[in-house]
Amino acid sequence: MVANYFSAPRGADEHSRATMREIHVTQFVNINPKCQVTVDRRTITVSGPRGELKRAFKASKFEAEKTADGKKIKLDFWWTNRKESAVVRTICSHINNMMTGVTKGYRYKMKSVYAHFPINTAITEGGKKIEIRNFLGEKIVRTVRVHDGVTVKAGEKDEIVLEGNDIEKVSVSAALIQQSTTCKKKDIRKFLDGIYVSEKTKIDLEA
């Protein structure tokens, strides 16, 4: 990352130094040879063997373009303060996650944990919805619908598997399932029943 700094003059107070701005910050992201990347202002589209992902970074102020050889994405940030500079690497990580998603895909494995009452799960609507029954012996049926682009399927004993290309949608879907089995008004140190993430991996490890 290349950065030019504009600092507060010598003798300035601490507040002035805290508001120091970077004149120009440049960051490069390597493009996966298996991916096709399209840059339209602050909207990045990534296509690969597993599909296409598109994301708009309109909340951040920067300029994005592909280099002349087409092997990298160049991101330019101007007059950024400390908080805006922290976003630079975050955006690069988002782009790398998109390229990983369309080439390898993301897989989250979740395990049912219970002390006495076994947790029963049923997957419906072609892997788009999961029904959770008998949590702590309750008769209520907990229903969780995963996000678009994510599928859930049964794994081994007391295990479910979530798969998708977008890591944020996969992780949020796993969080919704875990939150649906949270013990309310009980000591969570004693009542550990629930469905928890046990493993995070890729679908195609060789891609």
Side-chain angles (χ1 to χ4, degrees):
M1 180 174 66
V2 181
N4 297 320
Y5 295 92
F6 171 78
S7 59
R10 180 176 297 179
D13 56 8
E14 184 178 354
H15 175 72
S16 299
R17 294 188 180 277
T19 57
M20 179 183 69
R21 289 184 174 271
E22 298 179 16
I23 300 177
H24 183 207
V25 179
T26 301
Q27 184 75 33
F28 293 91
V29 179
N30 294 324
I31 298 178
N32 191 321
K34 298 181 181 180
C35 298
Q36 295 181 352
V37 180
T38 304
V39 180
D40 183 11
R41 298 177 184 177
R42 284 176 285 180
T43 302
I44 310 295
T45 305
V46 180
S47 302
R50 293 184 52 83
E52 179 180 288
L53 291 176
K54 183 178 181 180
R55 179 156 186 166
F57 301 94
K58 295 183 178 180
S60 303
K61 300 178 181 178
F62 66 93
E63 297 177 357
E65 62 179 359
K66 295 174 67 174
T67 56
D69 56 5
K71 296 181 179 180
K72 295 182 179 180
I73 301 176
K74 181 182 178 183
L75 305 176
D76 291 318
F77 297 77
W78 302 88
W79 286 99
T80 59
N81 55 26
R82 184 179 300 176
K83 289 185 178 180
E84 294 170 343
S85 298
V87 179
V88 176
R89 293 298 298 273
T90 301
I91 294 177
C92 296
S93 298
H94 283 311
I95 299 175
N96 285 323
N97 288 339
M98 292 168 64
M99 289 188 287
T100 303
V102 297
T103 54
K104 297 182 179 180
Y106 292 97
R107 174 182 292 157
Y108 277 33
K109 294 182 180 180
M110 304 189 71
K111 198 82 172 179
S112 299
V113 179
Y114 51 86
H116 180 70
F117 296 100
I119 300 176
N120 301 323
T121 57
I123 299 171
T124 59
E125 297 185 8
K128 293 299 182 182
K129 187 172 72 172
I130 180 172
E131 297 177 351
I132 304 170
R133 292 182 172 87
N134 201 38
F135 175 68
L136 293 177
E138 298 177 356
K139 298 298 183 182
I140 185 175
V141 178
R142 291 169 168 81
T143 302
V144 178
R145 188 178 298 276
V146 298
H147 284 231
D148 294 336
V150 181
T151 57
V152 56
K153 61 182 181 181
E156 299 177 357
K157 184 178 183 296
D158 297 330
E159 184 183 74
I160 58 175
V161 180
L162 286 83
E163 295 180 347
N165 296 341
D166 194 333
I167 187 173
E168 293 193 8
K169 292 183 178 181
V170 175
S171 59
V172 170
S173 299
L176 292 175
I177 295 174
Q178 179 176 338
Q179 291 173 358
S180 67
T181 57
T182 302
C183 294
K184 303 295 195 305
K185 298 182 180 179
K186 290 182 174 65
D187 189 356
I188 59 175
R189 297 172 297 179
K190 177 67 176 178
F191 295 87
L192 300 176
D193 293 32
I195 303 178
Y196 303 96
V197 176
S198 60
E199 184 181 352
K200 300 177 183 179
T201 183
K202 307 294 190 300
I203 298 174
D204 189 0
L205 298 177
E206 298 180 357

